[in-house]
């Protein structure tokens, strides 16, 4: 426990610095803009969310407690979430032994750096709830019915942050079925535990639905929490190469581990340890999300459980090769050097310049100047419309759009299909004072569907409205061409 606390004390300031120097990030900017809108009288679903509602409401509450919407507060929240992942990892892996738990913690700490947890991603929340649900039921011989119900409730809360938590529920179901198939549970115990997990899972979801029903937002809640994430989000492989390079260190370790685990001593250990079955099953089901997109943060809910597997296997390998009292410090240092070398190689292959985030402090003074310029052009109450990856300017300028979406990603394409006149109405609105494009060549964020009829029609409306109501301006104080109302 002492070594874990010392590691946590070392990790938190280093990760805070890394997160602070990373900026807000593309996804996190959208989370922050919608969360901040709740402070200003907006309701949930006034803007189209990309994630489930609890991410935005919790972000708003926690950032207000931490000091508001600024880089220090956001970085502090990110660091608290990462620390929560490590604490949850330690609690989940402690049943395998102190050293196994510490190895798992170190691996998940590295994963936080390489899987975009330095941004405000909901996968931190998913991992925290998932690991604690695992810890509740992993000791299957002693777990009570309340443990299974509690685990399901934790997974239901995770679902209120991001819909991929449903894969954990499927993993729990597969694990319970496997316990029955191997004779560790009777049929009715299997059914009972499965129903308890499902009951716990649906408690937060039904309470959420009831709340949005009473506030006349049930249709929007169902659409953006369930229908679109599972049925509307298209698959692609845009980030596959980046994923393979960025996480090469972890993939190498996993390849070695899966070769090692088939050897008889380790295979027997795994056969006798159902908790490891659950960890690997949860990792496998969580990996299904990678079929949609291979962004590294999508792999984090799987990686936190793979780290439990790697921590257990590494600990047992050390016990097998060397009696515990003979594991010299130099051997542990050698293992750490190998792991460090793999991560450094992955970093150098992916993006070497990111190393400077650990040795510098970014000056964000330019953000205030840029935001002030936009406020000056738009006026005290004017709206601005950002059509592509200039989205961060909403946050910097303290402004909001007059359309119900923050970016022009895939969920906006989905919205445009049933609201084809959105851009035309927005540009005709005299409250809209300024239109800004980023530097994306495809004009909108969703480059995969730019030529689909709905988007093509919407973009024609955009061009027509710009020529009719706006004039383009170039100002040396602002790096992008922008449009102001005639």
């Amino acid at each position: 426990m002492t070594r874990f606390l010392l590691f946590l004390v070392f990790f938190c300031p280093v990760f805070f610095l890394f997160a602070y120097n990373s900026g807000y990030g593309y996804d996190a900017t959208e989370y922050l803009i919608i969360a901040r809108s709740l402070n200003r009288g907006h309701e949930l679903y006034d803007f189209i969310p990309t994630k489930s509602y609890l991410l935005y409401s919790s972000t708003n509450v926690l950032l207000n407690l931490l000091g508001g919407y600024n880089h220090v507060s956001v970085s502090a929240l990110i660091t608290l979430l990462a620390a929560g992942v490590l604490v949850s990892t330690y609690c989940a892996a402690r049943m395998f032994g102190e050293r196994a738990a510490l190895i798992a913690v170190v691996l998940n700490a590295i994963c936080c750096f390489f899987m975009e947890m330095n941004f405000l991603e909901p996968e931190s929340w998913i991992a925290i709830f998932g690991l604690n649900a695992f810890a509740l039921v992993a000791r299957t011989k002693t777990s009570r019915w309340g443990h299974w119900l509690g685990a399901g409730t934790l997974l239901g809360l995770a679902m209120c942050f991001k819909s991929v938590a449903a894969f954990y529920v499927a993993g729990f179901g597969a694990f319970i079925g496997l316990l029955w198939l191997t004779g560790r549970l009777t049929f009715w115990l299997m059914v009972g535990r499965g129903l308890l997990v499902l009951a716990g899972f649906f408690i937060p979801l039904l309470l959420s639905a009831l709340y949005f029903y009473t506030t006349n937002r049930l249709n929007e809640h169902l659409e953006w929490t369930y229908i679109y994430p599972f049925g509307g989000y298209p698959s692609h492989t845009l980030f596959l190469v980046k994923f393979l390079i960025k996480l090469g260190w972890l993939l190498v370790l996993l390849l070695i581990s899966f070769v090692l685990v088939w050897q008889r001593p380790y295979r027997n250990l795994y056969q006798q340890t159902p908790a490891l079955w659950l960890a690997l099953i949860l990792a496998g089901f969580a990996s299904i999300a990678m079929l949609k997109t291979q962004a590294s943060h999508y792999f984090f809910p799987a990686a936190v459980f793979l780290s439990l597997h790697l921590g257990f296997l590494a600990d047992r390998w050390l016990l097998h090769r060397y009696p515990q009292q003979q594991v010299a410090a130099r051997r542990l240092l050698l293992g750490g050097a190998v792991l460090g070398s793999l991560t450094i190689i992955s970093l150098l292959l992916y993006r070497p310049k990111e190393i400077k985030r650990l040795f510098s402090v970014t000056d964000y003074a330019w953000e205030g100047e840029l935001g002030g310029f936009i406020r000056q052009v738009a006026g005290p109450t004017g709206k601005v419309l950002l059509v592509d990856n200039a989205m961060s300017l909403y946050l910097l300028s303290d402004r909001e759009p007059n359309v119900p979406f923050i970016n022009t990603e895939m969920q906006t394409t989905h919205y445009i299909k049933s609201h084809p006149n959105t851009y035309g109405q927005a540009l005709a609105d005299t409250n809209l004072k300024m239109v800004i494009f980023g530097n994306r060549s495809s004009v909108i964020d969703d480059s995969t569907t730019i030529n689909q009829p709905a988007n093509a029609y919407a973009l024609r409306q955009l061009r027509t409205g710009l020529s009719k109501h706006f004039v383009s301006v170039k100002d040396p104080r602002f790096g992008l061409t922008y449009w102001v109302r005639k």
Side-chain angles (χ1 to χ4, degrees):
M1 185 67 173
T2 301
R3 287 180 292 178
F4 167 68
L5 293 176
L6 289 174
F7 179 79
L8 199 61
V9 168
F10 167 77
F11 170 82
C12 286
V14 174
F15 195 71
F16 175 89
L17 178 63
F18 188 73
Y20 181 85
N21 287 331
S22 299
Y24 293 129
Y26 179 82
D27 291 342
T29 300
E30 185 257 1
Y31 310 152
L32 292 169
I33 294 168
I34 294 181
R36 188 186 62 183
S37 75
L38 302 178
N39 265 347
R40 302 176 172 183
H42 286 283
E43 300 289 340
L44 285 163
Y45 303 114
D46 282 354
F47 296 103
I48 296 171
T50 60
K51 304 297 183 294
S52 297
Y53 75 95
L54 202 52
L55 174 64
Y56 304 97
S57 54
S58 65
T59 297
N60 182 46
V61 171
L62 292 172
L63 283 180
N64 281 326
L65 291 174
L66 291 170
Y69 289 80
N70 56 72
H71 284 286
V72 172
S73 298
V74 173
S75 300
L77 176 55
I78 291 169
T79 304
L80 285 174
L81 290 174
V85 171
L86 300 191
V87 171
S88 300
T89 300
Y90 184 79
C91 293
R94 185 74 183 274
M95 68 186 71
F96 303 132
E98 181 74 13
R99 185 168 59 192
L102 289 173
I103 294 171
V105 165
V106 171
L107 288 171
N108 277 341
I110 299 173
C111 287
C112 286
F113 286 93
F114 279 81
M115 296 185 188
E116 300 174 346
M117 294 306 106
N118 51 307
F119 301 113
L120 191 61
E121 294 291 354
E123 280 76 11
S124 291
W125 287 106
I126 303 298
I128 290 170
F129 285 115
L131 287 164
N132 283 285
F134 170 89
L136 272 179
V137 304
R139 293 185 177 92
T140 54
K141 291 183 179 179
T142 60
S143 59
R144 302 174 181 176
W145 68 269
H147 295 169
W148 296 91
L149 182 66
T153 303
L154 289 174
L155 298 179
L157 289 171
M159 182 77 173
C160 294
F161 282 87
K162 192 174 181 180
S163 56
V164 295
F167 293 123
Y168 279 163
V169 180
F172 267 81
F175 172 65
I176 294 169
L178 184 59
L179 291 177
W180 172 65
L181 289 173
T182 56
R184 293 173 180 268
L185 283 182
T186 65
F187 176 79
W188 290 113
L189 274 177
M190 174 192 70
V191 172
R193 288 183 176 181
L195 290 176
L196 285 169
V197 171
L198 286 176
F201 178 67
F202 281 113
I203 287 172
L205 305 187
L206 292 175
L207 290 175
S208 301
L210 179 62
Y211 167 76
F212 287 111
Y213 173 77
T214 59
T215 55
N216 298 316
R217 295 274 176 168
L218 181 60
N219 289 337
E220 292 88 345
H221 173 66
L222 296 177
E223 174 75 14
W224 300 113
T225 304
Y226 306 108
I227 298 173
Y228 177 73
F230 290 109
Y233 191 87
S235 301
H236 62 81
T237 58
L238 298 175
F239 306 124
L240 179 58
V241 174
K242 182 188 295 186
F243 170 83
L244 294 174
I245 295 174
K246 191 175 181 182
L247 299 184
W249 64 274
L250 181 60
L251 299 178
V252 169
L253 292 178
L254 289 173
L255 179 61
I256 295 171
S257 74
F258 291 136
V259 171
L260 184 62
V261 82
W262 283 111
Q263 297 183 20
R264 183 171 298 278
Y266 305 106
R267 188 167 71 244
N268 291 340
L269 279 172
Y270 272 68
Q271 290 172 348
Q272 299 163 12
T273 314
L276 290 170
W277 307 355
L278 178 57
L280 291 173
I281 289 171
L282 291 176
F285 274 89
S287 298
I288 294 174
M290 302 296 293
L291 296 176
K292 286 285 188 181
T293 177
Q294 297 75 47
S296 60
H297 62 275
Y298 269 61
F299 193 55
F300 192 70
V304 293
F305 285 103
L306 291 171
S307 292
L308 301 188
H309 149 75
L310 289 170
F312 175 87
L313 192 61
D315 177 63
R316 294 309 185 269
W317 182 83
L318 288 170
L319 285 175
H320 179 70
R321 292 293 299 270
Y322 315 100
Q324 190 169 6
Q325 64 271 22
Q326 294 180 10
V327 179
R330 64 178 180 274
R331 296 191 185 276
L332 295 177
L333 290 174
L334 179 60
V338 171
L339 177 60
S341 298
L342 287 174
T343 56
I344 290 172
I345 290 170
S346 290
L347 180 60
L348 292 176
L349 289 173
Y350 170 61
R351 195 177 289 172
K353 66 180 182 180
E354 303 305 343
I355 296 177
K356 70 179 182 180
R357 294 182 185 179
L358 296 170
F359 304 101
S360 62
V361 178
T362 301
D363 182 6
Y364 289 108
W366 61 272
E367 291 185 345
E369 298 171 1
L370 196 59
F373 177 82
I374 295 172
R375 289 192 296 273
Q376 178 184 352
V377 174
T381 60
K383 302 286 186 179
V384 297
L385 178 62
L386 309 177
V387 182
D388 60 359
N389 63 349
M391 174 181 61
S392 61
L393 298 177
Y394 283 133
L395 190 63
L396 303 185
S397 63
D398 205 28
R399 286 291 185 271
E400 295 161 353
N402 64 342
V403 293
F405 46 83
I406 301 299
N407 56 32
T408 52
E409 264 287 0
M410 295 172 181
Q411 75 282 350
T412 300
T413 296
H414 177 73
Y415 176 84
I416 289 290
K417 290 178 181 178
S418 56
H419 300 81
N421 296 314
T422 298
Y423 284 129
Q425 294 169 355
L427 292 170
D429 179 9
T430 55
N431 289 319
L432 181 64
K433 304 297 184 182
M434 189 178 189
V435 179
I436 307 172
F437 293 85
N439 53 11
R440 196 185 300 271
S441 60
S442 60
V443 180
I444 61 173
D445 300 297
D446 185 8
S447 59
T448 63
T449 59
I450 190 171
N451 294 319
Q452 285 188 359
N455 264 338
Y457 175 75
L459 291 176
R460 285 197 300 270
Q461 275 198 332
L462 179 62
R463 295 187 184 98
T464 300
L466 283 174
S467 62
K468 181 178 180 180
H469 301 294
F470 290 79
V471 59
S472 64
V473 178
K474 291 184 178 181
D475 191 307
R477 296 174 297 170
F478 191 70
L480 302 170
T481 299
Y482 59 93
W483 301 71
V484 295
R485 188 166 291 277
K486 293 180 179 177

